[in-house]
Amino acid sequence: MRELVVIEGDGISHEVIPAAVRVLQSLLPDLTLHHRPAGWDYFNQVGRSIDAETVELARQCGAVLAGAANSPSYPVEGYHSPIVRLRRELGTHANIRPTSYLPVPTARPGIDLIVVRENTEDVYASPEELTTGGAMVAKHITTQASERIAHTAFMMAIQSQRRRVTVIHKANVLPQTDGLFRRVAFEVATQYGALEVDDLLVDTAAYWMVKDPTRFDVILTLNQYGDILSDMAAAWGGGLGFAPALNLGEGVALAEPVHGTAPDIAGQGLANPTAAILSAAMLLRYHWHLPELADRIERAIVETLEAKLFTADIVGPRSSLSTHAYTDEIIKRL
Ligand code: NAI
Ligand code: MG
């Protein structure tokens, strides 16, 4: 029996996550759903952003679909992003972010890449500290985590019939931390002979991501660089409304669209649910090992877009479909 914890979060998460759940339910009618609240609004009601019981339930079920939560850009006593907490407590060591061409005017033809981002270390995993006259954070990189993410990237490259893995780092300036990540990646690569493996400095990679993103196939990188490069790639995939992500651990997966809560359009039926729906498809492909169902979702999305049925982020609010009506069109084509 498959079980899924559904966390809507804040803002447009209340629109796009239910859309993705409707798509999943039409393919898996027996799926057991556990809806749980989390996020900024929940924090303001009860004083915590997510319940410990929700984290435990997520561990037991092994599968979570979560929408973004509001996180203020200033410190708030007691508030932590529920997604960051879930990623940490579930031990999801890999963050997988694919970008493939979709037939929308905002997408770049030929783009087809996967960012495999280490998800447990780097500056995001260390507490920030105040110092005299400033603040600091530590960058901690381990051999174990670097090996694990390298295996994930190379295995994913082979499973998805890709040819090349590009290791992205800044080892010229950070020879100990990024240098370790790079060295381990090339060591692990020797076990995957069929793949071509190269590397790029992160600033050069950013240049190429703007100039010609079609040169990338699989990207293996550290936490912070992967965060930034995958958003750049998302711009070529048609925009944030189309960018899915999956956090993978040992027997556990957390699917989440890359975008945030979009407060500027929340509650108006303007949100594009494709990223959330594609994130659900990643659960099917990589966690439940049902690639044929994931293919059906991806084909239905392509057919919907080919029929020029778009949400407001693509054609503006006047000639677009609402989040709900667009989702109906996808479900019709499943
Ligand atoms: P955002 O991704 O929410 O919005 C950026 C722009 O893209 C906005 O103009 C928005 O309308 C548009 N957009 C995003 N997703 C869309 C969709 N599905 N359909 C149509 N348009 C879409 O990023 P922003 O504004 O920087 O952050 C807003 C809030 O979201 C902040 O509180 C931030 O902390 C939070 N956030 C949470 C994340 C998470 O919990 N995983 C991830 C990113 C942001
Ligand atoms: Mg990000």
Side-chain angles (χ1 to χ4, degrees):
M1 196 180 66
R2 290 192 180 83
E3 296 189 54
L4 177 68
V5 176
V6 178
I7 294 172
E8 285 185 10
D10 299 304
I12 60 165
S13 301
H14 295 300
E15 300 162 70
V16 300
I17 296 301
V21 168
R22 286 173 61 212
V23 170
L24 273 180
Q25 280 183 307
S26 48
L27 292 175
L28 293 175
D30 297 335
L31 182 66
T32 303
L33 299 172
H34 304 278
H35 292 272
R36 291 292 183 276
W40 177 247
D41 291 343
Y42 189 60
F43 174 78
N44 285 306
Q45 285 163 29
V46 302
R48 55 186 180 276
S49 65
I50 186 168
D51 294 332
E53 181 265 341
T54 300
V55 177
E56 193 42 47
L57 184 66
R59 223 191 303 273
Q60 282 164 20
C61 294
V64 184
L65 175 64
N70 284 329
S71 285
S73 300
Y74 48 88
V76 173
E77 179 73 28
Y79 184 75
H80 307 281
S81 158
I83 304 265
V84 173
R85 167 141 181 226
L86 275 170
R87 285 181 192 156
R88 192 179 59 234
E89 298 219 11
L90 298 178
T92 56
H93 69 275
N95 190 294
I96 316 291
R97 297 192 170 186
T99 302
S100 300
Y101 175 74
L102 287 169
V104 287
T106 47
R108 160 92 188 222
I111 189 162
D112 184 18
L113 61 83
I114 305 181
V115 177
V116 179
R117 160 186 170 195
E118 205 290 324
N119 217 15
T120 63
E121 309 199 312
D122 203 344
V123 287
Y124 296 167
S126 307
E128 289 187 292
E129 285 167 40
L130 295 178
T131 58
T132 317
M136 61 164 279
V137 68
K139 176 159 180 156
H140 187 204
I141 305 297
T142 66
T143 305
Q144 193 201 15
S146 304
E147 270 173 10
R148 196 171 48 180
I149 193 68
H151 280 292
T152 301
F154 295 129
M155 274 178 330
M156 187 152 288
I158 285 170
Q159 276 165 16
S160 48
Q161 278 141 32
R162 286 164 182 274
R163 303 171 57 96
R164 190 155 52 114
V165 177
T166 303
V167 184
I168 295 178
H169 56 81
K170 187 79 181 180
N172 57 339
V173 177
L174 301 168
Q176 298 297 350
T177 47
D178 286 28
L180 183 152
F181 186 88
R182 177 185 179 279
R183 179 171 48 75
V184 168
F186 277 95
E187 277 165 18
V188 173
T190 59
Q191 299 172 40
Y192 299 85
L195 293 167
E196 188 190 321
V197 181
D198 62 1
D199 70 322
L200 274 181
L201 296 172
V202 64
D203 42 354
T204 312
Y207 171 83
W208 281 110
M209 193 61 88
V210 173
K211 178 121 173 119
D212 181 13
T214 65
R215 82 184 289 292
F216 293 108
D217 195 353
V218 175
I219 288 173
L220 164 59
T221 191
L222 296 95
N223 199 344
Q224 187 176 34
Y225 308 145
D227 183 17
I228 298 163
L229 289 171
S230 60
D231 272 30
M232 292 174 76
W236 289 129
L240 281 172
F242 295 97
L246 186 71
N247 300 276
L248 265 184
E250 302 298 331
V252 58
L254 162 64
E256 48 159 343
V258 167
H259 62 74
T261 60
D264 51 337
I265 59 165
Q268 302 168 54
L270 296 175
N272 183 348
T274 312
I277 296 169
L278 286 173
S279 303
M282 290 184 77
L283 269 181
L284 290 167
R285 184 180 303 286
Y286 296 111
H287 181 64
W288 287 323
H289 303 293
L290 296 168
E292 59 293 340
L293 296 187
D295 288 344
R296 277 171 66 185
I297 294 178
E298 291 173 8
R299 265 200 308 272
I301 289 171
V302 168
E303 284 173 21
T304 303
L305 297 170
E306 278 173 353
K308 305 241 179 302
L309 300 167
F310 298 128
T311 42
D313 50 330
I314 304 304
V315 285
R318 289 156 66 110
S319 41
S320 63
L321 294 182
S322 70
T323 309
H324 200 270
Y326 173 82
T327 308
D328 285 342
E329 294 294 338
I330 292 171
I331 291 172
K332 245 193 257 173
R333 290 168 173 79
L334 284 173

